[in-house]
Amino acid sequence: MAQKNFEFYFQSFRKKAQLIEEFERNNSLFSLALDEALTEESARAWRALWFINQIVSPAVAEEIYKVYDQLIVRLENEDPSLQRELLKLLQKIDLAEKWESYLFNQAQAIWEKLSNIPSTRVQALYCMLKIARKYPELKSEIALYNESSYLEGLSPGIKRQVHRLFQKL
């Protein structure tokens, strides 16, 4: 019998609750999803990252921590939807200082790219702010992104969200 891959599970359980229920029964599903998240194919990696973001717990975070460097490197030149899921996941784990710097730079590049989808840009801003809590000297650098040119193309709701984030700086 052929070994099932994450895609099989993703296609078999069309509802999020069913997929999470299957994860609770079958712990190997996480390993399959993590392997899939590291694949070159963006659509498959996006689905796997979406699933991992749904189930992150301290035990799962330990497994993610083993490959976070590979995940961070994927931020560069990826599809914006995949970048968003990566950013959401990377916010949930503690990173080594060297990788925080890399993540901050990648998040800046994502925020500055106005053609990115707003949800990806906002996740990039969240990453920058999380890192700035640890390194307050970065707050002044982030504050420069509160210019109207960076807010163009954002919906009114996302603009309000971003304004609130900048007010908290």
Side-chain angles (χ1 to χ4, degrees), residues 6 10-11 24 37 39 46-47 54 59 78-79 84 92 98 104 123 142 158 166:
F6 177 74
F10 192 82
Q11 295 301 324
E24 290 168 355
T39 64
W46 178 90
R47 285 192 280 275
Q54 306 305 308
E78 280 293 350
D79 171 73
R84 181 187 62 241
K92 297 175 183 177
K98 134 183 165 177
F104 188 85
Q123 289 301 321
I142 295 170
I158 291 181
F166 280 116

Side-chain angles (χ1 to χ4, degrees), residues 126-162:
Y126 281 135
C127 279
M128 289 190 293
L129 292 171
K130 179 186 178 203
I131 294 168
R133 277 188 227 110
K134 192 172 179 182
Y135 306 101
E137 62 274 11
L138 294 174
K139 288 181 179 180
S140 60
E141 194 172 332
I142 295 170
L144 299 174
Y145 291 120
N146 193 16
E147 295 178 10
S148 61
S149 62
Y150 288 111
L151 304 177
E152 289 176 23
L154 300 178
S155 71
I158 291 181
K159 278 184 187 176
R160 279 192 302 277
Q161 182 183 5
V162 167

Side-chain angles (χ1 to χ4, degrees), residues 43-60:
R44 288 175 36 206
W46 178 90
R47 285 192 280 275
L49 285 164
W50 172 86
F51 171 71
I52 292 169
N53 272 318
Q54 306 305 308
I55 60 160
V56 171
S57 67
V60 170

Side-chain angles (χ1 to χ4, degrees), residues 64-105:
I64 296 166
Y65 193 75
K66 294 175 185 174
V67 296
Y68 72 86
D69 53 338
Q70 295 170 56
L71 294 170
I72 292 174
V73 171
R74 291 217 51 191
L75 280 171
E76 199 169 349
N77 303 320
E78 280 293 350
D79 171 73
S81 295
L82 181 61
Q83 286 178 327
R84 181 187 62 241
E85 293 302 317
L86 280 165
L87 290 167
K88 286 166 54 177
L89 181 61
L90 292 168
Q91 289 174 59
K92 297 175 183 177
I93 60 174
D94 293 322
L95 303 173
E97 187 174 334
K98 134 183 165 177
W99 289 109
E100 284 176 327
S101 172
Y102 187 82
L103 177 58
F104 188 85
N105 291 338

